[in-house]
Amino acid sequence: MSYDAQARMQLLFALRSRGVTDARVLDAMERTDRGLFVRGIFADRAYEDMPLPIACGQTISQPSVVGLMSQALQVSARDKVLEIGTGSGYQAAVLSHLARRVYTIDRHKRLADAAKEVLAGLDISNVTVLAADGSHGLPEQSPFDRILVTAAAEDPPGPLLAQLRIGGIMVVPVGQSDHVQTLIRVTRTETGYDYDDLRPVRFVPLVEGMGRD
Ligand code: SAH
């Protein structure tokens, strides 16, 4: 077995041991080669269960966190999903195997362009990558069945709550950016929103406005 194949298999074991047990999520992650989303000097660490630096001072999330978030989102094959924080595009690629349609937004055009290219190279055609300030959501495509925010907000952003379908689920890390944050799950009901605390996490902050590159 090649080094990469062995490293990828070890990563799948690590995911399971860290609580990623949903068969659809594991399958989606098995189909998504993280090595394609990490460039430069950290490329040889792509199959380790750790966050890694990407361009624009951002990070590609830890694979087990990608798995646990995807699992918490309970995505079905009929769902239209919005992701805020494209970063490398890795989480969006995983979601593409779980959902019908994925919209993903990053405030750095450079990251959005790079992610678009990798996803196109993988023949993933149900993901639309947009360079924009995702804190406003994507009103023209709302409502969404699922919303995943992969940057930390002090509170779940109001426009995103408003763009969630009734019965829809949003997973978002909340808390101050330089502290440990809490991953929460918000479920929209007929009359309001239910909130569950899931686990401590650490994400880069959700920043308003466009990035410089
Ligand atoms: N999901 C990514 C990792 C996200 S890192 C992956 O799989 O690689 C967080 C990302 O959120 C960064 O790329 C950052 O640029 C982006 N971000 C922060 N604030 C944002 C905003 N207001 N709108 C859109 N993207 C934002």
Side-chain angles (χ1 to χ4, degrees), residues 5 17 19 22 30 37 41 52 54 66 75 78 95-96 118-119 124 134 162-163 165 173 180 190 194 197 203:
S17 73
D22 183 295
E30 192 172 353
F37 296 87
I41 54 170
L52 294 170
I54 55 172
V66 169
V75 184
R78 294 184 306 274
L95 290 171
S96 77
V118 181
L119 294 168
I124 291 176
Q163 290 170 35
R165 175 176 70 71
V180 170
E190 296 274 355
D194 287 343
D197 283 1
F203 276 85

Side-chain angles (χ1 to χ4, degrees), residues 9-132:
M9 213 173 72
Q10 268 167 8
L11 177 58
L12 284 169
F13 279 118
L15 294 176
R16 282 173 212 266
S17 73
R18 291 184 179 146
V20 184
T21 51
D22 183 295
R24 287 188 72 232
V25 171
L26 284 167
D27 177 62
M29 293 188 74
E30 192 172 353
R31 290 166 67 186
T32 310
D33 183 353
R34 189 169 183 252
L36 301 175
F37 296 87
V38 183
R39 294 176 187 194
I41 54 170
F42 293 102
D44 63 343
R45 309 191 72 170
Y47 307 114
E48 292 177 29
D49 189 25
M50 58 190 301
L52 294 170
I54 55 172
C56 305
Q58 305 302 314
T59 49
I60 176 171
S61 310
Q62 186 175 348
S64 56
V65 172
V66 169
L68 291 168
M69 286 176 100
S70 304
Q71 196 163 281
L73 205 58
Q74 299 169 17
V75 184
S76 92
R78 294 184 306 274
D79 286 345
K80 180 165 74 171
V81 182
L82 175 65
E83 181 197 19
I84 309 301
T86 311
S88 67
Y90 175 62
Q91 171 77 73
V94 171
L95 290 171
S96 77
H97 299 304
L98 297 170
R100 172 173 59 83
R101 198 81 188 70
V102 178
Y103 292 86
T104 181
I105 305 180
D106 207 286
R107 63 188 285 278
H108 287 287
K109 186 170 182 302
R110 183 170 158 205
L111 292 175
D113 286 347
K116 239 182 246 179
E117 205 179 298
V118 181
L119 294 168
L122 288 171
D123 281 332
I124 291 176
S125 57
N126 63 341
V127 177
T128 303
V129 185
L130 300 157

Side-chain angles (χ1 to χ4, degrees), residues 120-186:
L122 288 171
D123 281 332
I124 291 176
S125 57
N126 63 341
V127 177
T128 303
V129 185
L130 300 157
D133 177 359
S135 49
H136 307 298
L138 192 59
E140 60 271 34
Q141 291 296 340
S142 71
F144 293 95
D145 301 296
R146 300 289 183 264
I147 299 178
L148 181 59
V149 187
T150 63
E154 289 200 13
D155 295 297
L160 299 184
L161 288 171
Q163 290 170 35
L164 199 56
R165 175 176 70 71
I166 291 170
I169 296 174
M170 168 157 72
V171 171
V172 51
V174 293
Q176 309 227 317
S177 61
D178 49 351
H179 290 74
V180 170
Q181 306 123 8
T182 306
L183 190 64
I184 66 164
R185 176 167 49 205
V186 184

